[in-house]
Amino acid sequence: MNIGIDMMGGDFAPRAVVLGVSLVSHELPADVHLTLIGDENAVKEIFVSEGIDYSKYRFVHTTEVIEMGEQPSKAFTKKPNSSIARGFSLLKTGEIDGFTSAGNTGAMLAGAMFTVKPIPGILRPSIPVVLPRFNYPKPFVLLDVGLNPDAKPEVLYQYGILGKVFAQKMLQILDPKVALLNIGSEPEKGNIVAKATYDLMKNSQDFSFIGNFEGYDLFDNPEADVIVCDGFVGNIIIKLTESIFSISGKCGIQNNFFDQFNYEVYGGTPILGINTTVFIGHGVSSPLAIKNTIQHTCDMVNAHLPETFNEIFK
Amino acid sequence: MNIGIDMMGGDFAPRAVVLGVSLVSHELPADVHLTLIGDENAVKEIFVSEGIDYSKYRFVHTTEVIEMGEQPSKAFTKKPNSSIARGFSLLKTGEIDGFTSAGNTGAMLAGAMFTVKPIPGILRPSIPVVLPRFNYPKPFVLLDVGLNPDAKPEVLYQYGILGKVFAQKMLQILDPKVALLNIGSEPEKGNIVAKATYDLMKNSQDFSFIGNFEGYDLFDNPEADVIVCDGFVGNIIIKLTESIFSISGKCGIQNNFFDQFNYEVYGGTPILGINTTVFIGHGVSSPLAIKNTIQHTCDMVNAHLPETFNEIFK
């Protein structure tokens, strides 16, 4: 297996990425090879200054960087020799099996949509996060957390399938229960989209639907393994939990539950529903977060999600 | 001033309401009179069993109760002698100046819409909550938290005005800054409704608009005093914060910031944009929460919000 890593992506790149690569290298199986994509000299200099041997990595030299503030799809087209654009070229030619970057999220999405392409039958890909539940060992999957802020009922229905497969393959939950995030437990509650989605989900043969979940169910109700919402609501929730973690830290609170709101635990989010493995790291990624995104990218490649989705949606 | 209280409303009524009334009575100014609406004998029995003197209260006897699970507007029409329906009759005839209930929220809203009516010019009334900010003394107003899960841009724009006036009159913030809850700081970010709302708000002469707020800004960015969202997002957020408070309590965390997520602090939410003062208590209201809702109902009556709104929207 070969994983491509954008060495130039993230607020603290390339140093944080070099350190993350070094951290994860000790833990990866021997058959996992890392391809480091970025400014080769700059990256090697950091390896040297950190006293880390880089001889086992393959380097792909790039001369451009898509900055965090750049207009994503334009930047992707205009900078073919950027680390993100090269990563997607390598994915397309099969030279790497998975690609991860903590760089410009929009450019990563543009690459996923236009270079890799969604799986036929999937209306819209989605980005999920794995979140903890209070007093319950298994985490749950929340999706979408930002890819589709205007998701239609049919799209949300498919997110039930994407989430179910992700929970099965990545969290080892045999028969994941799917809930719809809503503002009341009754079927008639919610906005227009939520009501229509409930109607689609209620008799689903594609997943086990257990009904509506409310805001207080999210972290404190172990009944659902997958919670579906649109990317607008999901993005606000995920950023809110990051803020709770940050405030909790500033207050000096040490608590196992709140500590799991730390973005570093998962490090980012994969793109579900495309024909390969792409993992988007958090912009402020630390070496630990980078390490975890690389580990999760390997796990995703091993889980063969695109094959499963192609089978389901064919 | 005369405040009407639904003695039958809430999961722990009438006992919790009797105790809440008793708690608040010691703190109210002499010119505030309380009208207790409910099953007079049942309520008086509790006063007696608690050893509390009830001679200073006016009683309005009712024979029906709208239960928590009943279909709101039907129940409101079919039970004219329920405590909620009588409360609204008393409001309409001017026998009371404000009304509060921890009972069936839908019936309270039905009463507000059909008996009291929205202020002309206000497209949709709203329910706000007052929430704490980390390391900053002033709280902020989040609205809407559930009245309009499908709010249009024009409605959200007006929420900016409703929230501004509420922050001025109830939180003593002279020039409240208004933000739009969104999934990115840039104007072009968000779902269709958020983008259109941003366009309406950006040159507002009606309030000081400071731009988009993201999920992590909510509790950790003191720049905005009013944060506008639709009732779907707002309801999920408010229930999520209640859950964070509950989990924090179960973990034995004692923290001034998280403690303010306790619904008892505010006790419920007023309905903004109608022609009188109506305050909806939380269904699980404790005596402390009831006490606070009665106190806030008095404060609202004193603040003369409907007069201000009539002036602005005339």
Side-chain angles (χ1 to χ4, degrees):
Chain A
M1 184 197 309
N2 206 314
I3 303 296
I5 299 158
D6 173 9
M7 301 306 289
M8 315 310 282
D11 295 346
F12 307 114
R15 182 170 302 273
V17 191
V18 166
L19 296 175
V21 164
S22 169
L23 281 173
V24 82
S25 291
H26 309 294
E27 299 181 13
L28 293 176
D31 68 331
V32 176
H33 305 284
L34 301 183
T35 296
L36 312 191
I37 307 157
D39 182 332
E40 188 168 344
N41 290 335
V43 170
K44 282 184 173 169
E45 257 176 43
I46 297 170
F47 273 109
V48 170
S49 74
E50 296 288 338
I52 305 165
D53 173 26
Y54 59 71
S55 61
K56 62 179 159 185
Y57 306 116
R58 176 187 173 213
F59 286 84
V60 171
H61 179 58
T62 57
T63 54
E64 294 171 301
V65 175
I66 297 179
E67 304 294 344
M68 294 306 257
E70 280 191 81
Q71 208 283 327
S73 48
K74 268 189 206 160
F76 190 82
T77 316
K78 281 174 67 179
K79 292 185 169 174
N81 202 27
S82 62
S83 47
I84 290 182
R86 284 300 296 280
F88 280 100
S89 308
L90 295 170
L91 267 180
K92 206 176 174 184
T93 56
E95 289 172 80
I96 55 177
D97 307 292
F99 177 48
T100 178
S101 168
N104 186 312
T105 304
M108 287 295 285
L109 297 175
M113 298 307 172
F114 303 124
T115 309
V116 178
K117 304 223 166 116
I119 286 165
I122 293 184
L123 297 167
R124 295 286 181 123
S126 171
I127 50 176
V129 286
V130 176
L131 288 166
R133 212 132 34 170
F134 180 62
N135 256 351
Y136 192 76
K138 284 268 176 198
F140 70 96
V141 185
L142 178 73
L143 78 170
D144 175 60
V145 298
L147 203 44
N148 290 297
D150 285 296
K152 295 194 170 114
E154 294 74 18
V155 170
L156 292 172
Y157 179 85
Q158 285 195 345
Y159 286 175
I161 304 174
L162 300 187
K164 170 195 167 180
V165 172
F166 183 83
Q168 283 175 328
K169 301 258 178 178
M170 297 298 292
L171 305 178
Q172 285 70 50
I173 298 170
L174 275 182
D175 178 26
K177 306 288 183 291
V178 177
L180 176 66
L181 190 60
N182 206 332
I183 59 170
S185 55
E186 307 87 346
E188 69 276 10
K189 283 289 174 76
N191 57 14
I192 294 168
V193 170
K195 287 182 218 176
T197 306
Y198 188 100
D199 282 343
L200 290 178
M201 287 185 169
K202 68 183 176 194
N203 298 316
S204 173
Q205 304 295 311
D206 296 310
F207 49 81
S208 305
F209 180 58
I210 59 160
N212 290 331
F213 253 38
E214 297 186 68
Y216 33 61
D217 293 311
L218 267 165
F219 298 106
D220 209 9
N221 183 342
E223 297 298 318
D225 306 294
V226 175
I227 303 179
V228 172
C229 61
D230 67 41
F232 191 80
V233 174
N235 188 269
I236 289 168
I237 289 173
I238 189 68
K239 287 175 178 167
L240 179 52
T241 60
E242 281 178 27
S243 161
I244 295 289
F245 170 74
S246 156
I247 291 172
S248 153
K250 288 180 202 163
C251 291
I253 294 171
Q254 292 200 323
N255 176 276
N256 282 342
F257 173 73
F258 288 111
D259 284 354
Q260 292 173 80
F261 283 172
N262 184 356
Y263 82 92
E264 286 178 326
V265 174
Y266 223 76
T269 172
I271 306 178
L272 290 186
I274 56 171
N275 250 321
T276 186
T277 298
V278 174
F279 205 97
I280 305 176
H282 200 295
V284 295
S285 284
S286 65
L288 174 62
I290 297 281
K291 167 186 177 272
N292 287 335
T293 59
I294 297 171
Q295 184 65 63
H296 289 125
T297 308
C298 293
D299 295 344
M300 292 276 296
V301 172
N302 277 326
H304 300 288
L305 294 178
E307 287 85 331
T308 307
F309 289 135
N310 272 303
E311 188 61 31
I312 292 175
F313 288 95
K314 76 180 173 190
Chain B
M1 182 199 308
N2 206 313
I3 303 296
I5 299 159
D6 173 9
M7 300 305 290
M8 316 309 283
D11 295 346
F12 307 114
R15 182 171 301 272
V17 191
V18 166
L19 296 176
V21 165
S22 169
L23 280 174
V24 81
S25 291
H26 308 295
E27 297 181 13
L28 294 175
D31 67 332
V32 175
H33 305 285
L34 302 183
T35 296
L36 312 191
I37 307 158
D39 183 333
E40 188 168 346
N41 289 335
V43 170
K44 281 183 174 170
E45 257 176 43
I46 296 169
F47 273 109
V48 171
S49 74
E50 296 287 340
I52 304 166
D53 173 27
Y54 58 73
S55 61
K56 62 180 158 185
Y57 306 117
R58 176 187 174 212
F59 285 84
V60 170
H61 179 59
T62 57
T63 54
E64 293 172 303
V65 174
I66 298 179
E67 303 293 344
M68 294 306 258
E70 283 190 79
Q71 206 285 325
S73 48
K74 269 190 205 160
F76 190 83
T77 316
K78 281 174 68 178
K79 293 185 169 173
N81 202 26
S82 63
S83 47
I84 290 182
R86 285 300 297 278
F88 279 101
S89 308
L90 295 170
L91 267 181
K92 205 175 176 186
T93 57
E95 289 172 80
I96 56 175
D97 307 293
F99 177 48
T100 178
S101 167
N104 186 311
T105 303
M108 288 294 285
L109 297 175
M113 299 305 173
F114 303 124
T115 309
V116 178
K117 305 226 163 114
I119 286 165
I122 293 184
L123 298 166
R124 296 285 180 122
S126 171
I127 51 177
V129 286
V130 176
L131 288 167
R133 213 134 30 172
F134 180 63
N135 255 352
Y136 193 76
K138 284 269 175 197
F140 70 96
V141 185
L142 178 73
L143 79 172
D144 175 59
V145 298
L147 203 44
N148 291 298
D150 285 297
K152 296 194 169 113
E154 295 75 16
V155 170
L156 292 172
Y157 179 84
Q158 285 195 346
Y159 287 175
I161 304 174
L162 300 187
K164 170 195 168 181
V165 171
F166 183 84
Q168 284 175 327
K169 301 258 179 179
M170 297 296 293
L171 305 178
Q172 284 71 52
I173 298 169
L174 276 182
D175 178 25
K177 305 290 184 288
V178 177
L180 176 66
L181 190 59
N182 207 331
I183 60 172
S185 56
E186 306 86 347
E188 69 276 11
K189 284 289 173 78
N191 57 14
I192 293 169
V193 170
K195 286 182 218 174
T197 306
Y198 187 100
D199 282 343
L200 291 178
M201 287 184 168
K202 68 182 176 192
N203 298 316
S204 173
Q205 303 294 310
D206 296 311
F207 50 80
S208 306
F209 180 59
I210 60 161
N212 290 331
F213 253 38
E214 298 186 68
Y216 32 59
D217 292 312
L218 266 166
F219 298 107
D220 209 10
N221 183 342
E223 296 298 318
D225 306 294
V226 175
I227 302 178
V228 172
C229 62
D230 68 41
F232 191 80
V233 175
N235 188 270
I236 288 167
I237 289 173
I238 189 69
K239 286 173 178 167
L240 177 53
T241 60
E242 281 178 24
S243 161
I244 295 288
F245 171 73
S246 156
I247 290 172
S248 150
K250 288 179 203 164
C251 292
I253 293 172
Q254 292 200 323
N255 177 276
N256 282 342
F257 173 73
F258 288 111
D259 284 355
Q260 292 173 81
F261 284 172
N262 183 358
Y263 81 93
E264 287 178 326
V265 173
Y266 223 76
T269 172
I271 307 178
L272 291 186
I274 55 171
N275 250 320
T276 185
T277 298
V278 173
F279 205 97
I280 305 176
H282 201 295
V284 295
S285 283
S286 65
L288 174 63
I290 297 281
K291 168 185 177 273
N292 287 336
T293 59
I294 298 171
Q295 184 66 63
H296 288 125
T297 308
C298 293
D299 295 344
M300 292 275 296
V301 172
N302 277 325
H304 300 288
L305 294 178
E307 287 87 330
T308 308
F309 289 135
N310 271 303
E311 188 63 30
I312 292 175
F313 288 95
K314 75 180 176 190

